[in-house]
Amino acid sequence: MSTTNGTNGAQAAAVPAYTKKDFESGVDPRWCPGCGDWSIINQVQKVMPTVGVKRENIVFISGIGCSSRFPYYMNNYGMHTLHGRAPSFASGLKVSRPELQVWVMTGDGDALAIGGNHFIHCMRRNLDIKVVMFNNRIYGLTKGQVSPTSELGKKTKTTPFGSPDQPFNPPALALGAGATFVARSVDVEGAHMGGVLKSAAGHKGSAFIEVLQNCPIFNDGAYLSLTEKSVKADQLLRMEQGKPLVFGKDGKKGIRLNRETIQLEVVTIGEGGVTEKDLVVHDATREDPTYSTMMANLNQKPGFPTPIGVFRDVQRPTAEDLNAQQVQEQKAKSGKADMKTMLAGSDTWVVS
């Protein structure tokens, strides 16, 4: 059995043979029919029995929003915390209890508006925390206000004449903040989402997964331009490790690096002498984030597909491991210490 998150072989062997039902709390989810949240929790509950971690060592933490009801519906430990502050609670928990597998379930408003500062520093520090962001491009729980990922010109209750703001590109933001695992999936692509979640669970370090999801009440059809059967093959680019970037109904479109402009471009296999060998081969394990960032920004240009899958998956020392190392080094250096000795240390003085 494979192990994750510092779980050793003996512990992994003791993990019960869970099923999806073991992670269902029995509380009926309070989500609207047709909401993408249903698909996300379904895949999470399917993946949890496969991660090789005891249920009592898995924690889901959330902030405020429709997505943040998540811990109530999972049959393991969890916390429903403050708006935008879930990464802070998760950080404290992970540093104090590094053996736990910690997940943050959040929305585009919760994570990137009031929680933006907490989010980027969670990614920067490379704490072993998995952040799943439900991106419906709207504030759903508070009933239809513009969010940090709403499109330019989006008409909402708070932008009746259209949003004048450029939206965040969440994967690019996570990459810029230093996340060591960054991925994207779609609510209607269940099997794909499950694979991405499983990969995130096995990653040691800061993981960010954006899930494009529908809000049938306040932003219905948010991603129909990507998910409709008639256009999906041409609009979604499935990134697979070690495979060329191919898409399209007939599998004839691809992504090539233009050596002169150093830009990615869409090409058609068989035209102008283009073959599959000319296409970029996907590699999420490159230490340099340049390629991952180019892929994360691919769909920002007209005529390009939206990539789904893992953008980046690299290993670096985690903050909790470095913190534990510091503690052990200082213990070895200082010997046995007590609170009185610490308080009367070199930073105190006597006034005569």
Side-chain angles (χ1 to χ4, degrees):
M1 179 182 291
S2 63
T3 61
T4 59
N5 297 290
T7 308
N8 63 38
Q11 289 173 317
V15 176
Y18 295 121
T19 66
K20 177 177 180 288
K21 193 168 183 63
D22 290 316
F23 286 88
E24 298 173 358
S25 71
V27 177
D28 292 332
R30 298 291 296 274
W31 290 322
C32 303
C35 177
D37 293 13
W38 293 93
S39 175
I40 298 171
I41 196 169
N42 182 54
Q43 291 305 319
V44 169
Q45 289 171 337
K46 282 183 177 180
V47 167
M48 286 301 102
T50 73
V51 301
V53 180
K54 287 185 177 181
R55 188 171 55 178
E56 59 266 31
N57 287 335
I58 300 174
V59 184
F60 283 86
I61 300 176
S62 66
I64 298 296
C66 296
S67 61
S68 294
R69 293 171 173 158
F70 207 94
Y72 296 112
Y73 312 140
M74 296 294 298
N75 188 23
N76 52 269
Y77 288 110
M79 287 183 274
H80 189 181
T81 68
L82 304 176
H83 201 190
R85 273 64 176 183
S88 299
F89 283 84
S91 297
L93 179 62
K94 188 64 185 181
V95 170
S96 61
R97 294 287 304 277
E99 76 278 11
L100 300 180
Q101 186 179 91
V102 180
W103 295 75
V104 169
M105 312 307 283
T106 184
D108 45 303
D110 185 56
L112 303 182
I114 190 169
N117 202 46
H118 301 275
F119 169 74
I120 61 173
H121 290 294
C122 181
M123 296 294 101
R124 173 185 67 84
R125 298 177 69 202
N126 197 37
L127 284 154
D128 185 18
I129 295 171
K130 297 88 175 58
V131 178
V132 181
M133 195 194 81
F134 302 32
N135 185 4
N136 55 22
R137 293 176 168 173
I138 202 78
Y139 275 96
L141 186 69
T142 50
K143 306 194 169 39
Q145 297 84 4
V146 70
S147 93
T149 58
S150 296
E151 312 93 305
L152 181 68
K154 181 77 173 180
K155 291 185 178 181
T156 73
K157 291 180 178 178
T158 48
T159 55
F161 306 110
S163 172
D165 300 328
Q166 294 287 345
F168 268 134
N169 178 2
L173 178 64
L175 286 165
T180 51
F181 181 99
V182 178
R184 175 192 283 138
S185 192
V186 191
D187 57 359
V188 296
E189 296 284 329
H192 181 274
M193 191 199 315
V196 167
L197 290 167
K198 180 68 180 290
S199 296
H203 178 77
K204 187 173 175 61
S206 54
F208 173 72
I209 308 98
E210 177 191 36
V211 181
L212 308 181
Q213 55 113 188
N214 196 46
C215 174
I217 305 302
F218 297 107
N219 199 21
D220 196 22
Y223 297 104
L224 280 180
S225 61
L226 305 179
T227 60
E228 278 281 84
K229 188 175 181 180
S230 60
V231 301
K232 182 166 63 173
D234 288 324
Q235 296 303 320
L236 288 180
L237 169 62
R238 300 170 190 273
M239 300 179 293
E240 298 182 63
Q241 181 67 20
K243 294 185 178 181
L245 297 174
V246 176
F247 68 105
K249 293 177 183 177
D250 54 4
K252 293 295 184 181
K253 291 184 179 181
I255 303 297
R256 179 177 69 179
L257 177 66
N258 187 310
R259 302 290 177 178
E260 294 182 1
T261 64
I262 318 299
Q263 296 292 320
L264 298 177
E265 59 185 10
V266 175
V267 294
T268 301
I269 298 173
E271 292 185 3
V274 175
T275 69
E276 195 172 278
K277 292 182 179 180
D278 296 312
L279 305 183
V280 174
V281 174
H282 182 60
D283 184 5
T285 65
R286 304 181 197 199
E287 182 61 35
D288 187 325
T290 302
Y291 166 73
S292 298
T293 303
M294 291 175 74
M295 289 303 298
N297 285 305
L298 192 70
N299 63 324
Q300 305 298 301
K301 299 183 287 186
F304 284 77
T306 295
I308 60 174
V310 179
F311 294 99
R312 192 179 196 218
D313 186 358
V314 299
Q315 292 295 322
R316 291 208 318 263
T318 62
E320 68 272 15
D321 285 349
L322 294 174
N323 181 74
Q325 180 182 330
Q326 281 187 345
V327 170
Q328 292 305 316
E329 289 173 352
Q330 291 306 309
K331 281 183 176 180
K333 180 179 178 181
S334 304
K336 188 175 181 180
D338 54 44
M339 185 65 71
K340 182 179 179 180
T341 302
M342 184 186 73
L343 293 175
S346 59
D347 289 334
T348 61
W349 60 93
V350 177
V351 179
S352 59

